[in-house]
């Protein structure tokens, strides 16, 4: 099934937009896992199994695995394989923020879509359309382009306005996404920018938005759901996966995911 | 020794700016290597040893290894280790074009600089300064920010002009690099844009430029050297590493590297 259908089906089934971010920061893992050489995998697997009833999608970030080189990537591969085998109904967005020349992009597409078989991938749009196209050869896949990111310095470039089009850089990226089908290209927009999130939603109603950064410095879940509509994935990582550092970490993650889901259901009603 | 000193010393020793790009595209490898499971490593190692007399720097692109997942990354690790052990005087620029949030960027920095021990890394600047800073905690390292890339669609975003500053996006990135020491942040500028290359060189004389894409669609080596000055690395990948697909591939690569070096020496004289 293609990403779009898988996402839509899962969203309807759960009546939720919750994307669970799998970011196994080694400095925050439960001490009980410390002794295991494959602790990134073990932690991720436990979190996945504990939250599967509530996850519309999973978004593992490869950086946390790549930090440990080939041994880390091996665990990343095992996490993806575990989700695909045990929770095949849940779409996977690999958070990789890749982006490279045509020929090189093909290599990244080969790894993520053919070897790993994830459903979706985040990309940096800086280099332009010809670096995005190689990722869309398989029409069942979707890429999320970084549009307006949740970090403080995102304004440095992304919020400046181009004189040729009157659009900010992030709006230009959103406009560029319209070259492609909404079934193939979505946009990453941080919840730290509720006004701009609303602006992008209105201008591009068909694009799936991937929204990190709600809570903490960002807008509340209520605000985000109010502006983003149903064509979106709202990501939560740390507030779910690091709910407890005790041996009950998985059960605590499940409770956090359940509680966000209940809130979401109310907001979407 | 820090990247900057290593680069400067090597440049003076060889009187050259040649950066050898290690892009082991599996579809182009010599058939004689086909049977080996670690053919990416074997090919890269042979190319490195054959061209070491002429390489001011090596630029292996991780995408060609990552295409094969953890087994590919393992070979990438072996390539880096081989260069560091056998050719410690030659600086390594890992071409990865990474870029992610503060905490996540730290993970990438950990892999490339601590685990692998490369001297330099390419980064995408789209997300802004706070995603660049985590890579500069070790002051001996340098990152090259994508500025104006060599692909045709680079113009879509990079050549548009911001009304706030009157600068194009690529000039804005170049301006942003000035927040950091020239010993820590350089710029990637494609040889496909000789006019803009000259403009960037004049505006940022202290920045090391990493210049891919000369020949083929780009400017000639003569044109590039005339505008970029000596504070630059001029990259050549395919025209060196795929000089022959026969069993003589390494010797052919050596000859190509030697011939570019001779031309460069003349142009720099």
């Amino acid at each position: 099934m293609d990403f779009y259908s898988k996402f839509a089906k899962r969203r309807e089934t759960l009546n939720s937009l919750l994307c669970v971010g799998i970011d196994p920061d080694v400095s925050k893992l439960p001490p009980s896992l410390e002794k295991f050489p494959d602790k990134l995998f073990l932690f991720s697997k436990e979190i996945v199994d504990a939250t599967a009833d509530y996850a519309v999608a999973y978004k593992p970030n490869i950086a946390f695995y790549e930090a440990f080189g080939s041994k880390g990537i091996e665990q990343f591969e095992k996490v993806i394989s575990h989700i695909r085998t045990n929770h095949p109904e849940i779409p996977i967005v690999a958070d990789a923020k890749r982006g490279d020349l045509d020929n090189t992009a093909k290599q990244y597409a080969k790894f993520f879509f053919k070897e790993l078989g994830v459903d979706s991938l985040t990309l940096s749009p800086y280099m332009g359309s010809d670096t995005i196209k190689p990722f869309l050869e398989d029409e069942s896949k979707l890429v999320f382009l970084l549009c307006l990111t949740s970090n403080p310095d995102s304004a440095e470039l992304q919020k400046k306005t181009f004189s040729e089009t009157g659009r900010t850089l992030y709006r230009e990226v959103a406009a560029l996404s319209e070259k492609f089908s909404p079934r193939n290209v979505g946009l990453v927009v941080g919840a730290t920018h509720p006004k701009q999130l609303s602006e992008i939603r209105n201008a591009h109603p068909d694009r799936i938005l991937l929204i990190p950064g709600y809570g903490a410095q960002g807008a509340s879940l209520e605000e985000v759901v109010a502006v983003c509509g149903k064509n979106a994935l709202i990501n939560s990582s740390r507030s779910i996966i690091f709910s407890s550092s005790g041996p009950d970490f998985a059960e605590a993650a499940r409770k956090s995911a359940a509680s966000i889901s209940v809130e979401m259901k109310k907001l979407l009603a």
Side-chain angles (χ1 to χ4, degrees), chain A:
Chain A
M1 203 188 293
D2 64 12
F3 171 83
Y4 197 93
S5 311
K6 223 166 154 177
F7 155 68
K9 194 172 172 195
R10 190 77 186 150
R11 176 187 59 188
E12 299 317 314
T13 307
L14 299 186
N15 193 22
S16 167
L17 306 172
L18 177 60
C19 177
V20 178
I22 312 283
D23 300 353
D25 184 335
V26 78
S27 68
K28 297 195 180 97
L29 295 190
S32 58
L33 294 176
E34 194 48 56
K35 61 177 176 290
F36 298 101
D38 58 344
K39 51 181 166 288
L40 300 177
F41 168 66
L42 291 176
F43 175 77
S44 307
K45 176 185 171 297
E46 292 292 316
I47 293 289
V48 163
D49 292 341
T51 59
D53 288 342
Y54 307 106
V56 173
Y58 283 115
K59 183 176 74 62
N61 187 321
I62 195 170
F64 294 93
Y65 303 87
E66 190 172 305
F68 298 90
S70 55
K71 294 204 181 347
I73 298 295
E74 207 180 314
Q75 295 180 68
F76 184 75
E77 290 164 340
K78 284 171 72 183
V79 174
I80 303 300
S81 167
H82 179 81
I83 300 173
R84 291 186 63 195
T85 306
N86 297 281
H87 313 284
E89 71 285 7
I90 308 180
I92 306 171
V93 182
D95 198 357
K97 302 184 180 67
R98 298 293 190 259
D100 208 320
L101 297 180
D102 187 11
N103 264 338
T104 318
K106 284 202 174 95
Q107 306 295 321
Y108 284 128
K110 181 176 183 304
F111 173 53
F112 286 102
F113 292 146
K114 286 198 187 138
E115 304 271 321
L116 285 176
V118 301
D119 306 283
S120 173
L121 184 66
T122 58
L123 290 185
S124 171
Y126 188 78
M127 295 176 73
S129 297
D130 56 2
T131 66
I132 297 163
K133 281 176 196 150
F135 290 95
L136 303 177
E137 283 179 13
D138 178 346
E139 290 182 0
S140 74
K141 308 297 185 184
L142 181 137
V143 297
F144 285 102
L145 302 183
L146 297 183
C147 179
L148 185 54
T149 56
S150 59
N151 57 310
D153 286 346
S154 60
E156 273 181 351
L157 301 172
Q158 296 166 30
K159 284 192 177 173
K160 286 199 169 70
T161 305
F162 285 132
S163 52
E164 290 88 346
T165 58
R167 288 192 285 250
T168 53
L169 172 55
Y170 72 85
R171 285 295 304 270
E172 199 66 38
V173 169
L176 185 155
S177 77
E178 296 290 344
K179 287 185 169 189
F180 307 96
S181 161
R183 296 182 82 94
N184 297 123
V185 177
L187 299 168
V188 177
V189 184
T192 41
H193 314 275
K195 200 176 122 246
Q196 289 80 3
L197 178 59
S198 163
E199 176 200 21
I200 294 168
R201 174 73 305 165
N202 294 332
H204 305 278
D206 295 338
R207 299 280 139 192
I208 308 181
L209 303 182
L210 174 59
I211 306 169
Y214 90 83
Q217 304 93 357
S220 69
L221 188 57
E222 189 173 356
E223 288 174 272
V224 174
V225 172
V227 298
C228 76
K230 291 195 75 178
N231 205 15
L233 280 168
I234 302 177
N235 187 73
S236 181
S237 300
R238 275 175 276 184
S239 63
I240 293 178
I241 69 174
F242 297 125
S243 294
S244 161
S245 63
D248 66 333
F249 71 90
E251 187 49 34
R254 181 180 170 85
K255 280 184 192 149
S256 297
S259 127
I260 296 172
S261 295
V262 168
E263 198 185 343
M264 237 179 231
K265 248 179 228 174
K266 275 189 216 151
L267 296 170
L268 288 168

